[in-house]
Amino acid sequence: MIAGLVVEGFLDKFRPIFGQRMDQSVKIMEKWVRMEHSFGGVSSFVVESSTSSEITASVGIRIRDSDTDVLARGFWKALRQDLGFLHASWTTILLSYPHYTASSSEAYVERLVVTREHRHQGIGRALLEAAESLSRESGKDTIGLHVSDSNLPALKLYEAYGYQEISRQRSLLTRYFLGIRDWLYLQKKLR
Ligand SMILES: CC(C)(COP(=O)(O)OP(=O)(O)OC[C@H]1O[C@@H](n2cnc3c(N)ncnc32)[C@H](O)[C@@H]1OP(=O)(O)O)[C@@H](O)C(=O)NCCC(=O)NCCS
């Protein structure tokens, strides 16, 4: 369910990456989320719908050390199986942005997404709060995340919630293929 939600929420990014293999995207994302939970040090929060068995929102928070080699090998294997070598290589290059070096004193927020029909109800904010509480309980000093410069709803939410820009990465590749020129690295101090 998380995988379906993420693909739906980031369609503008996934469509150009997966192209005619969009049918494979949820399956690949599902493998990725499982691997992140098993080897990536990531935990997820989800918001359940009150009217159905669906989920309406989710967020991942990396709070433990990540086994990056196992994760990278596992993801490459999944991509190669489902997309073939050439498309897998291309997907790996595009998904490698933004680059981030994890630090044990920082929690990292990723794939925050709320279904379209449930936006503007404070769910995104609530998930961010949950991520921060977990990060504090886990002894982290800071919480970080990346957002594209064109994602105004997300930027507005993060800024309102005390995140500050630390640095930017510019990529001609993602500008051309995803319409994303700058990746902003935002951070909030927790102590
Ligand atoms: C970004 C996202 C998670 C926000 O979720 P949300 O549940 O709508 O956010 P909230 O209702 O908690 O909104 C909190 C604040 O964010 C801002 N905000 C949210 N959506 C906005 C929009 N479309 N336009 C402008 N500001 C917006 C507002 O400041 C809002 O506060 P307010 O409603 O009290 O004015 C949601 O738009 C989403 O899933 N987007 C697609 C995936 C994505 O881009 N994720 C972020 C990746 S970095």
Side-chain angles (χ1 to χ4, degrees), residues 9-58:
F10 293 96
L11 262 188
D12 53 337
K13 198 173 165 196
F14 280 96
R15 270 215 189 95
I17 292 178
F18 287 98
Q20 298 192 340
R21 310 303 305 276
M22 253 326 265
D23 55 324
Q24 300 291 321
S25 58
V26 175
K27 191 168 139 196
I28 292 172
M29 184 47 63
E30 187 181 332
K31 290 181 183 172
W32 172 249
V33 172
R34 279 186 202 284
M35 284 188 285
E36 274 197 320
H37 287 167
S38 305
F39 320 110
V42 172
S43 296
S44 292
F45 284 115
V46 298
V47 176
E48 292 175 16
S49 163
S50 52
T51 52
S52 70
S53 57
E54 306 282 300
I55 58 172
T56 56
S58 91

Side-chain angles (χ1 to χ4, degrees), residues 157-191:
L157 168 63
Y158 298 139
E159 279 166 6
Y161 208 55
Y163 284 77
Q164 288 181 335
E165 182 180 332
I166 302 295
S167 59
R168 280 175 189 241
Q169 283 170 48
R170 184 160 290 180
S171 162
L172 288 179
L173 200 70
T174 62
R175 179 185 183 178
Y176 188 76
F177 290 102
L178 305 181
I180 299 174
R181 193 185 70 162
D182 284 354
W183 296 91
L184 278 56
Y185 170 49
L186 308 185
Q187 192 187 60
K188 181 173 174 178
K189 287 194 177 17
L190 296 175
R191 301 165 190 283

Side-chain angles (χ1 to χ4, degrees), residues 10 112-114 119-122 124-125 151 153 156-158:
F10 293 96
L112 171 65
V113 61
V114 178
R119 289 181 191 166
H120 303 289
Q121 297 172 23
R125 187 180 284 258
N151 192 344
K156 204 172 159 199
L157 168 63
Y158 298 139

Side-chain angles (χ1 to χ4, degrees), residues 119-150:
R119 289 181 191 166
H120 303 289
Q121 297 172 23
I123 296 178
R125 187 180 284 258
L127 280 175
L128 268 187
E129 272 175 30
E132 284 187 28
S133 300
L134 180 65
S135 307
R136 270 198 200 89
E137 283 164 22
S138 309
K140 303 296 178 189
D141 297 328
T142 53
I143 186 163
L145 55 84
H146 279 92
V147 58
S148 65
D149 61 340
S150 51

